[in-house]
């Protein structure tokens, strides 16, 4: 875990949903599959398209992708078990229908997860000041304030 990670009240690291460094995004009904890099590793993140009070995310790391599909493309036993956890994690009632949806979405997303390139260099850059250190605040197109930062 990265030492600067923000932790939830359960002690798990929080994850930014969306953002600038999403490699690919799919929306299947009301579930978003997002492919990005987390701690320098490709991941697939599943979450609800419409946030609710139970919004969470389910993360599949590249190193775990082999656990979810058999060589013939069929779901593995582990995927069948984890599909209930995925449904529950993103705020759905974990029943057979929700589990089947998770299985389909995960299996459809595995080729994208496997095809992800290494993390782009622009994401690994340390945030450095850009420009000459000036800040301009504009309101309705007119400069309200300028200052050096």
């Amino acid at each position: 875990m990265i030492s600067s990670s923000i932790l939830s009240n359960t002690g798990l690291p929080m994850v930014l949903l969306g953002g600038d460094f999403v490699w690919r995004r799919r929306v299947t009904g009301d579930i978003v599959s997002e492919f990005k890099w987390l701690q320098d590793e490709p991941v697939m993140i599943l979450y609800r398209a419409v946030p609710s009070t139970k919004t969470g995310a389910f993360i599949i790391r590249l190193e775990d992708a082999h656990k979810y599909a058999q060589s013939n493309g069929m779901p593995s036993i582990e995927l069948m078990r984890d599909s209930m956890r995925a449904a529950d994690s993103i705020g759905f009632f974990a029943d057979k229908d929700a589990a089947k949806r998770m299985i389909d979405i995960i299996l459809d997303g595995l080729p994208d997860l496997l095809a992800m390139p290494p993390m782009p260099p622009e994401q690994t850059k340390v945030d450095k000041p850009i420009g000459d250190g000036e800040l301009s605040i504009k309101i309705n197109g007119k400069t309200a304030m300028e200052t050096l930062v």
Side-chain angles (χ1 to χ4, degrees):
M1 178 178 1
I2 298 173
S3 61
S4 63
S5 293
I6 299 173
L7 301 179
S8 70
N9 59 351
T10 61
L12 296 173
M14 303 279 289
V15 176
L16 174 66
L17 303 177
D20 294 334
F21 296 106
V22 174
W23 179 67
R24 182 167 289 156
R25 180 180 290 118
R26 292 177 164 186
V27 179
T28 308
D30 55 351
I31 300 171
V32 176
S33 306
E34 202 168 77
F35 301 87
K36 62 191 314 180
W37 297 267
L38 181 63
Q39 298 175 352
D40 301 341
E41 178 187 5
V43 296
M44 176 182 2
I45 303 175
L46 304 176
Y47 62 93
R48 293 180 81 155
V50 179
S52 71
T53 56
K54 291 185 175 184
T55 297
F58 188 77
I59 300 171
I60 299 170
R61 297 181 181 280
L62 178 61
E63 67 186 35
D64 297 328
H66 72 279
K67 296 178 186 177
Y68 290 132
Q70 299 176 26
S71 59
N72 62 2
M74 298 299 292
S76 67
I77 299 296
E78 183 137 3
L79 175 56
M80 291 180 194
R81 278 184 251 155
D82 283 356
S83 63
M84 294 291 245
R85 285 186 35 231
D88 185 54
S89 294
I90 65 175
F92 289 109
F93 182 72
D95 61 2
K96 282 184 176 181
D97 292 332
K100 175 146 179 27
R101 288 179 64 204
M102 294 295 108
I103 288 170
D104 290 342
I105 291 169
I106 291 170
L107 284 178
D108 288 346
L110 286 178
D112 286 333
L113 181 59
L114 296 172
M116 282 182 70
M119 186 165 47
E122 61 269 9
Q123 187 173 350
T124 60
K125 290 181 185 172
V126 177
D127 291 336
K128 295 179 182 174
I130 299 172
D132 54 7
E134 293 181 9
L135 173 69
S136 296
I137 299 175
K138 296 186 178 194
I139 300 174
N140 295 329
K142 295 182 180 178
T143 302
M145 185 176 110
E146 287 184 337
T147 186
L148 294 174
V149 288

